[in-house]
Amino acid sequence: MLEVREVSKHFGGLMALRKLSLHLERAEGVWGLIGPNGSGKTTLLNVICGLYRPDQGTVLFQGRRIDQLSPHQIARLGIGRTFQVAKVFRRLTVLENMLVPGFTNRETESPRQLREQALELLDFMQLSNLKDEQAGNLSGGQQKLLDFARVLMLKPKLLLLDEPFAGVHPLLKERMINRITLLHQQGIRFLVVSHDLPSVLELCSHLVVLSSGEKIAEGEPEMVRKEERVVEAYLGV
Ligand SMILES: Nc1ncnc2c1ncn2[C@@H]1O[C@H](COP(=O)(O)OP(=O)(O)O)[C@@H](O)[C@H]1O
Ligand SMILES: [Mg+2]
């Protein structure tokens, strides 16, 4: 599904990613990417979705090289992402926000179909009652749900979620975890970046741990949790 091969990325003298490799298989469960602040998690998502070019290394999606493509080309291939701080169009209504990615599918779907899909997804996220509200008036957690609902309009095959639980009310968090699990059962693949360990342990069946741009552990959550280097990275020696 997704292969990251020895990817490096630096900003000036700072190595944000050091020869990082990942191999995400379609058959596996939800993937989690964890690590302390500044360990390179968001940088990796930015490299995968084409916002940053890696200095070295390659990225393959379904066997095809994507690291030289632009973000919109990568989105069209089926990789969607959400942002650590939800990026909604604040002056548009919730429903209008949902229709923006619909422009990508304009050739294949009618405005009516797109509207129906948007309403269905809002219902799925329990945001229907807010559909005519300006998105800027939503709470931070609701904006994250909208960001998530909106990227689903692209019908992605793989979704990269950046800190989906950060600043989200515990009830909304639970809802988010349920939605991700359901969508995973429907065939969408997920790479979830988070430093919310309890949520990640509940949701993910495979974890990768980053520290200072390097992969320091990988495997089943229970195994990873016991790794000495992981404990050190989080708690200090
Ligand atoms: N655009 C950028 N310019 C300069 N430094 C950056 C940029 N993006 C990230 N960094 C740096 O790279 C490191 C990794 O950042 P990031 O990937 O955001 O970490 P994480 O998401 O794990 O908290 C940090 O030291 C951060 O300051
Ligand atoms: Mg980050």
Side-chain angles (χ1 to χ4, degrees), residues 11 14 16 36-43 52:
F11 300 105
L14 184 121
N37 264 335
S39 55
K41 305 181 296 295
T42 298
T43 302
Y52 294 161

Side-chain angles (χ1 to χ4, degrees), residues 94-205:
V94 167
L95 182 57
E96 286 165 347
N97 263 274
M98 294 294 289
L99 295 174
V100 172
F103 282 109
T104 315
N105 313 341
R106 228 165 4 173
E107 289 117 43
T108 49
E109 279 156 293
S110 70
R112 219 188 91 200
Q113 280 172 317
L114 291 172
R115 204 184 134 87
E116 271 167 22
Q117 284 164 25
L119 289 171
E120 244 170 64
L121 284 169
L122 288 177
D123 194 39
F124 179 67
M125 293 291 177
Q126 299 178 357
L127 288 172
S128 299
N129 57 334
L130 295 168
K131 71 179 167 53
D132 299 318
E133 189 68 54
Q134 274 200 1
N137 294 339
L138 269 53
S139 74
Q142 288 169 332
Q143 289 188 18
K144 288 197 96 117
L145 286 179
L146 173 58
D147 196 15
F148 187 10
R150 189 180 54 182
V151 74
L152 292 172
M153 287 294 288
L154 288 172
K155 302 208 170 70
K157 300 178 181 126
L158 172 66
L159 260 180
L160 316 171
L161 304 181
D162 200 352
E163 302 284 359
F165 313 116
V168 174
H169 186 279
L171 282 176
L172 291 185
K173 206 187 275 189
E174 207 45 47
R175 193 187 299 170
M176 205 104 102
I177 291 176
N178 293 336
R179 294 298 177 261
I180 294 169
T181 307
L182 208 64
L183 290 165
H184 181 267
Q185 284 162 4
Q186 292 170 6
I188 298 181
R189 288 298 164 261
F190 285 91
L191 178 59
V192 179
V193 165
S194 179
H195 61 246
D196 181 340
L197 267 183
S199 300
V200 164
L201 292 172
E202 183 181 342
L203 180 65
C204 300
S205 58

Side-chain angles (χ1 to χ4, degrees), residues 61-76:
F61 176 57
Q62 299 190 311
R64 175 180 171 175
R65 205 171 153 184
I66 60 167
D67 51 88
Q68 302 298 320
L69 301 181
S70 61
H72 76 273
Q73 290 172 315
I74 294 173
R76 283 202 178 183

